[in-house]
Amino acid sequence: MTTEWGEKSSADLMSRYVSKEMGYGVPKEGWRICLAHEFKEKRKPFQAKDVSLSNFLEHIGLGIRYLKWWYKKTQVEKKAPFIDMFRAQPLRQIYGAPLGGIGGGTITRGWKGEFCRWQLNPGMYHYKTVTANQFTVCLRRGGQTVYQQVLSVERPPTLQGWNWGYCGEYAFYHALYPRAWTVYHLPGQNVTLTCRQISPVIPHDYQDSSLPVAVFVWDIENKNDFALDVSIMFTMVNGSGHKDDKSGGHWNEPFHLEKEGEAVSGVLLHHCPPVNPYTLCIAAREQPDREVSHQTAFSPKGTCSGLWSDLITDGRLDSPTGSSPPTPKGEKVAAALAVGCSVPAQSHNRLEFCLAWDMPTITFGSREREHIRRYTRYFGTKGDASPSISHYALTHYTQWEKSIEEWQRPILQDRYSLPSWYKSALFNELYFVVDGGTVWTELPEDADVSGGVRSEDGGLPAQPAVIKEFGRFAYLEGQEYRMYNTYDVHFYASFALIMLWPKLALSVQYDIAGSVVQQDPTERLHLMSGQYSPVKAKNVVPHDIGDPDDEPWQRVNAYLIHDTADWKDLNLKFVLQVYRDFHLTQDNQYLQDMWPVCQAVMESEMKFDLDGDGLIENSGYADQTYDGWTVTGPSAYCGGLWLASLCVMCKMAKLVANEETYQRYRDILGRGSAAFDKLLWNGKYYNYDSSGRDLSNSVMSDQCAGHWFLRASGLGEGDYQAFPKEKIQSALKSVFDLNVMSFAGGQMGAVNGMRPEGVPDRSSVQSDEVWIGVVYGLAATMIHEGMLEEGMRTAEGCYRTVWERLGMAFQTPEAYCEKSIYRSLAYMRPLSIWAMQLALNTSQKDQTTSAQTGATDGEQGRDLRENQS
């Protein structure tokens, strides 16, 4: 199913690789790139200056208000704006798979091996390549060093005493998240090194998946007719390249830990800023015929030739005892760890390292509360856990890999229906679950998730069991759009969580449900309208649960562009997710808890049915996730979500045996469906809106979003059908023909808006963008409707564009245009690719199997009534 252009772009990434060595145990599937590759296309981020003149004039008030707010935030408060339209991150085409588990912070390595993106402080990113953080190889024969090389293609102006400039044409990188491989053929040495990077990101695992650690396994292949002694040295700076690296008071110490018959040793790098101190740990496993040595402290400036000479002399480091003194202000300190072994002629050996970090308690930007990270449940909160975490990782990583392989194998081995690009996209896009500024914390003992409305009053338990047991989870809308659990986007991304870590998905839902009943009457200026209104209205789903530079969970709705109380889609997306999650988990207690909240938010939506025809209406910009597009009257997007929500309310009413509520929603659904068809169906697809404006008949790629969620929830047919099947299929065909195949030669996915004559709708800054996460959801909808080939072709365009053409691996943006511009790197929504996998799973199950495994409404309703009693 892979297209010719797809095969060509994939081959381009490896075109400069000159070696025939393919490494040790590197899988076939994944994202592969030669270290000498250079991306030809260089794109720029969307910024304020890119707004067209017509859009600028239309939004001049917004621009002035944003500029005033931005100046106050950056120059007076000295804070980072939650969205910075003037200082967007430039595109750096360098990133590889991040290190670490879920919610404990992340360190990203580039595909050339650099340590280059840091998120140790929760939700706050720091983009700095730390030059001294490297792996170096030393080859010795007959007691003499014959080759010593930093495994980096860079030639930095510092550390001139080291041998830089490894030839990238002899190496390649291969990512299949949560693992990655780098293969180095050492020119002229007949030796190949394969570094395998493993992070403990394991579906349905809520313990090891929380650990802030990664393992590096080095497989050494000696193709010579003589033995070699091989050492690998791992160097690490105490810090992250941030200015506080020079703040003074940081110190290092060696350690050795032996328990359960296994020993590890290494160096602890204690980083001691006044806020969120942490310890980095570089460690190695001690084994027979391996020699572990270290240098506790060295200065990572100047030539640094002393450390280089130390290793080159005998393949080991001096291993001094005792701690280093605290650094004076203005100075940095680094550490080194070396492991050596003998590799016989024509043979193989292995060395094992790990990198761990321990920041057990965290505060967000407001410094109001202290939060405890999830992993501390297993390793304590004292800040002394790095040795134990390292020991655990080095003695358990083989079990992690077994679990990862068992999870991935069925998909990777499907050679007939699943193309290679899809397998790479499916697993590699999961990076954002970990590297989305993600936090996973314990629920404080005094926390009240319910918002003060108790279960008996239609609210939630103060401490729902799922949050007490599995903790609180939050991830950013994007690394540049700094809002946690942005709900209209989570709607798309949530498929990854509910399929792989369902308890975390339910935890998010309980947090959102608790905030629904809360209100914050504080008046604030909303930048789009220029009007003051409350931060949070009652019985309305919040846009987000807060900014990590403030106090998430305590203060929601960091998004102050619009008053999202008027957004039509947030409440609907909550209702749709509640039933989808129940359908996939069969958690009756969850449905019982969420049912009254769903009723409350649906009642809140009723006010938008202005003429009583059963269909809600829109009235401007601030109405939906597509907040840059004017909407007037009922629209395909929100109208479709509304009908789908009515459909699932009917289903849930049956499950809780509430016949009166069922009949009420069934009546509204009947009237709403008729109005929807009358106002929006044009014979081929659903019009963008019903205003009758010149552009109201634009073809919206996401017009079937409501139907998508019904199908993902096992509905959309029979008694629980909101849209005629033939109309959905006609609409999807129109989208494929126009938004996909008539845009950029059919090679860049689906543009958001397309005119029926086959040119993009350029009426707003969003209408001529491609939203990658929306495209994956569209592809899932096509697969649900039996359009497998069209769905795969649609999604393939996005993957090829992002990962192979634009160099945006492990930073998939929210959007790109056909030319020049992208917007918001490293964005949440593309996790929706897991909706494609759900659609594939669903389509492979015949109806007989579904009937056997799924309880009837009556059976499920009986279970709920028993729970309630």
Side-chain angles (χ1 to χ4, degrees):
M1 198 176 291
T2 302
T3 58
E4 288 183 15
W5 56 269
E7 291 172 349
K8 181 178 184 299
S9 60
S10 185
D12 283 349
L13 300 183
M14 285 292 287
S15 62
R16 296 188 62 183
Y17 187 61
V18 298
S19 173
K20 294 181 180 178
E21 296 295 328
M22 299 313 292
Y24 190 90
V26 182
K28 174 179 178 288
E29 309 291 0
W31 181 70
R32 184 173 294 188
I33 184 169
C34 174
L35 266 58
H37 183 77
E38 293 183 11
F39 290 97
K40 297 182 180 69
E41 189 167 345
K42 311 293 182 183
R43 290 212 167 192
K44 294 182 179 180
F46 177 87
Q47 298 192 74
K49 62 182 176 58
D50 296 306
V51 178
S52 68
L53 179 60
S54 60
N55 275 305
F56 174 77
L57 293 174
E58 194 171 350
H59 295 101
I60 192 165
L62 167 64
I64 293 169
R65 288 186 287 271
Y66 178 84
L67 182 59
K68 288 180 177 178
W69 172 84
W70 181 89
Y71 181 85
K72 180 184 176 186
K73 178 67 69 173
T74 59
Q75 305 304 310
V76 179
E77 298 176 14
K78 303 297 183 185
K79 290 265 194 176
F82 72 94
I83 296 177
D84 195 330
M85 287 296 293
F86 298 108
R87 296 187 297 206
Q89 281 296 316
L91 176 60
R92 301 172 71 205
Q93 298 164 313
I94 65 172
Y95 296 114
L99 306 172
I102 301 172
T106 46
I107 301 170
T108 297
R109 287 186 81 209
W111 49 268
K112 294 181 182 179
E114 62 270 66
F115 290 75
C116 53
R117 186 169 68 195
W118 307 77
Q119 188 259 142
L120 298 177
N121 281 316
M124 305 301 290
Y125 275 86
H126 175 59
Y127 303 90
K128 178 71 174 180
T129 297
V130 181
T131 304
N133 292 356
Q134 298 290 345
F135 286 101
T136 296
V137 62
C138 174
L139 305 183
R140 292 171 56 78
R141 180 185 179 193
Q144 297 292 320
T145 296
V146 295
Y147 181 89
Q148 186 161 297
Q149 174 73 52
V150 183
L151 294 170
S152 168
V153 299
E154 304 300 326
R155 296 181 182 273
T158 58
L159 306 177
Q160 291 293 303
W162 297 10
N163 184 25
W164 296 91
Y166 173 85
C167 182
E169 294 178 348
Y170 288 88
F172 69 87
Y173 177 84
H174 184 97
L176 188 66
Y177 191 75
R179 297 191 293 172
W181 294 255
T182 312
V183 176
Y184 303 90
H185 181 61
L186 305 184
Q189 305 304 313
N190 230 6
V191 170
T192 300
L193 308 175
T194 303
C195 176
R196 185 166 82 257
Q197 169 185 311
I198 307 138
S199 292
V201 181
I202 304 161
H204 307 286
D205 177 297
Y206 299 92
Q207 176 175 321
D208 291 6
S209 289
S210 72
L211 300 182
V213 67
V215 173
F216 302 97
V217 178
W218 288 84
D219 285 294
I220 306 158
E221 296 175 274
N222 179 11
K223 303 290 181 68
N224 293 293
D225 292 328
F226 47 82
L228 287 169
D229 292 322
V230 181
S231 298
I232 301 286
M233 178 175 72
F234 185 12
T235 48
M236 196 80 187
V237 171
N238 186 327
S240 63
H242 193 267
K243 62 183 179 182
D244 70 17
D245 292 3
K246 292 184 177 183
S247 62
H250 312 310
W251 58 286
N252 301 344
E253 63 172 327
F255 80 93
H256 172 85
L257 176 62
E258 186 167 353
K259 60 181 180 180
E260 299 168 359
E262 295 276 1
V264 299
S265 58
V267 184
L268 304 175
L269 297 82
H270 301 292
H271 198 72
C272 308
V275 178
N276 294 340
Y278 61 91
T279 298
L280 291 167
C281 172
I282 52 176
R285 190 175 187 176
E286 294 191 357
Q287 293 174 285
D289 304 319
R290 308 283 191 283
E291 183 171 18
V292 181
S293 58
H294 69 269
Q295 184 55 259
T296 307
F298 69 91
S299 175
K301 67 177 185 179
T303 63
C304 208
S305 54
L307 181 71
W308 192 260
S309 299
D310 187 4
L311 183 68
I312 210 168
T313 302
D314 54 9
R316 62 184 306 280
L317 300 173
D318 282 348
S319 301
T321 58
S323 307
S324 69
T327 54
K329 194 168 184 177
E331 295 295 323
K332 297 182 183 181
V333 67
L337 183 69
V339 188
C341 67
S342 179
V343 187
Q346 300 294 336
S347 191
H348 158 267
N349 214 334
R350 175 174 293 167
L351 301 173
E352 299 160 311
F353 292 83
C354 84
L355 171 63
W357 51 98
D358 184 21
M359 184 192 286
T361 58
I362 54 174
T363 59
F364 292 106
S366 73
R367 313 283 182 253
E368 291 175 24
R369 297 177 67 99
E370 194 172 75
H371 302 264
I372 299 172
R373 294 204 197 255
R374 167 73 176 185
Y375 75 87
T376 62
R377 180 175 289 206
Y378 314 106
F379 287 93
T381 61
K382 295 180 180 178
D384 60 359
S386 288
S388 295
I389 294 172
S390 299
H391 187 284
Y392 185 85
L394 287 165
T395 55
H396 286 78
Y397 79 84
T398 54
Q399 294 167 235
W400 297 345
E401 290 197 282
K402 182 180 178 184
S403 298
I404 292 166
E405 287 167 0
E406 288 175 354
W407 157 48
Q408 295 182 338
R409 186 179 298 116
I411 294 168
L412 298 179
Q413 290 186 349
D414 186 338
R415 296 189 180 93
Y416 300 103
S417 61
L418 300 181
S420 291
W421 69 262
Y422 172 78
K423 298 169 186 176
S424 172
L426 185 70
F427 294 116
N428 285 325
E429 290 288 10
L430 270 179
Y431 84 95
F432 195 84
V433 170
V434 165
D435 207 10
T438 311
V439 289
W440 186 1
T441 64
E442 296 288 4
L443 183 67
E445 291 184 7
D446 63 346
D448 182 352
V449 169
S450 75
V453 182
R454 292 288 175 264
S455 305
E456 57 270 21
D457 299 318
L460 299 170
Q463 296 210 338
V466 71
I467 304 186
K468 284 185 71 173
E469 177 60 28
F470 297 100
R472 270 181 153 168
F473 176 87
Y475 58 162
L476 297 174
E477 179 177 335
Q479 290 181 10
E480 295 188 87
Y481 284 16
R482 214 181 53 243
M483 296 160 283
Y484 273 132
N485 293 353
T486 298
Y487 202 71
D488 61 305
V489 183
H490 172 70
F491 175 74
Y492 297 81
S494 61
F495 283 87
L497 286 184
I498 195 60
M499 293 174 69
L500 302 175
W501 293 276
K503 301 300 185 184
L504 296 184
L506 299 188
S507 174
V508 169
Q509 287 290 87
Y510 273 101
D511 262 328
I512 293 293
S515 70
V516 165
V517 300
Q518 298 179 48
Q519 55 188 336
D520 182 350
T522 307
E523 296 271 322
R524 73 171 177 190
L525 178 69
H526 287 94
L527 301 181
M528 176 65 81
S529 66
Q531 303 294 315
Y532 282 84
S533 55
V535 170
K536 170 70 173 64
K538 189 175 181 179
N539 289 341
V540 174
V541 170
H543 173 272
D544 58 83
I545 62 152
D547 177 352
D549 205 22
D550 184 24
E551 192 61 41
W553 290 299
Q554 295 299 307
R555 283 187 289 280
V556 302
N557 278 343
Y559 185 69
L560 50 72
I561 305 295
H562 294 288
D563 180 0
T564 54
D566 288 333
W567 277 26
K568 311 300 184 294
D569 61 338
L570 291 171
N571 284 352
L572 305 177
K573 288 174 174 177
F574 175 80
V575 171
L576 290 169
Q577 285 189 72
V578 165
Y579 184 73
R580 189 244 1 231
D581 296 349
F582 169 73
H583 170 70
L584 294 176
T585 64
Q586 294 296 299
D587 187 328
N588 286 334
Q589 184 62 52
Y590 169 71
L591 184 58
Q592 178 182 321
D593 289 341
M594 294 296 157
W595 172 243
V597 186
C598 288
Q599 289 180 292
V601 299
M602 287 297 283
E603 286 304 313
S604 179
E605 289 289 294
M606 292 292 182
K607 66 178 181 285
F608 298 119
D609 181 7
L610 302 180
D611 52 13
D613 64 355
L615 197 60
I616 61 171
E617 299 186 25
N618 300 70
S619 57
Y621 285 99
D623 287 337
Q624 56 182 33
T625 193
Y626 297 88
D627 57 347
W629 234 346
T630 304
V631 195
T632 305
S635 69
Y637 186 72
C638 282
L641 294 175
W642 167 248
L643 295 181
S645 298
L646 292 170
C647 203
V648 303
M649 288 299 286
C650 290
K651 176 69 173 179
M652 290 190 286
K654 279 288 189 184
L655 292 174
V656 299
N658 190 327
E659 187 64 23
E660 182 181 350
T661 301
Y662 169 80
Q663 290 297 340
R664 178 173 181 240
Y665 283 115
R666 173 59 68 187
D667 173 64
I668 300 171
L669 176 59
R671 289 186 287 115
S673 294
F676 187 77
D677 271 8
K678 178 181 177 182
L679 292 169
L680 293 163
W681 181 252
N682 65 18
K684 291 185 176 180
Y685 58 89
Y686 294 104
N687 286 339
Y688 173 67
D689 70 17
S690 56
S691 66
R693 296 177 300 122
D694 290 344
L695 299 174
S696 67
N697 65 339
S698 284
V699 188
M700 188 184 195
S701 65
D702 210 8
Q703 63 184 271
C704 298
H707 180 74
W708 164 40
F709 250 72
L710 289 179
R711 294 304 304 268
S713 304
L715 304 177
E717 297 177 323
D719 289 343
Y720 300 102
Q721 180 175 345
F723 312 93
K725 186 178 181 68
E726 66 276 7
K727 291 182 178 177
I728 288 292
Q729 292 186 333
S730 174
L732 291 174
K733 184 178 186 305
S734 296
V735 169
F736 183 72
D737 290 344
L738 289 166
N739 302 58
V740 180
M741 298 308 294
S742 298
F743 175 74
Q747 298 187 7
M748 291 183 73
V751 68
N752 277 341
M754 181 66 89
R755 300 293 302 137
E757 58 269 24
V759 296
D761 180 333
R762 304 193 190 278
S763 62
S764 80
V765 294
Q766 296 179 345
S767 56
D768 67 343
E769 291 181 329
V770 175
W771 289 8
I772 296 91
V774 165
V775 172
Y776 289 152
L778 168 62
T781 315
M782 291 175 171
I783 294 168
H784 278 299
E785 291 303 315
M787 300 168 64
L788 176 63
E789 187 171 339
E790 292 91 337
M792 285 294 180
R793 174 64 188 255
T794 298
E796 181 180 3
C798 283
Y799 173 80
R800 300 291 185 190
T801 300
V802 169
W803 289 78
E804 297 180 349
R805 190 177 125 203
L806 301 184
M808 295 176 175
F810 298 100
Q811 53 180 331
T812 304
E814 156 71 321
Y816 55 74
C817 293
E818 184 173 2
K819 296 177 181 177
S820 305
I821 301 293
Y822 66 87
R823 186 166 58 80
S824 188
L825 289 171
Y827 198 76
M828 177 200 290
R829 203 185 319 254
L831 285 171
S832 62
I833 192 167
W834 280 86
M836 292 179 65
Q837 188 57 36
L838 178 63
L840 289 164
N841 294 346
T842 303
S843 66
Q844 289 169 0
K845 297 175 183 175
D846 59 37
Q847 293 180 345
T848 304
T849 304
S850 298
Q852 291 171 346
T853 58
T856 65
D857 288 352
E859 290 170 336
Q860 293 174 350
R862 186 179 66 245
D863 291 341
L864 283 168
R865 291 192 295 276
E866 289 170 356
N867 279 348
Q868 289 169 336
S869 63

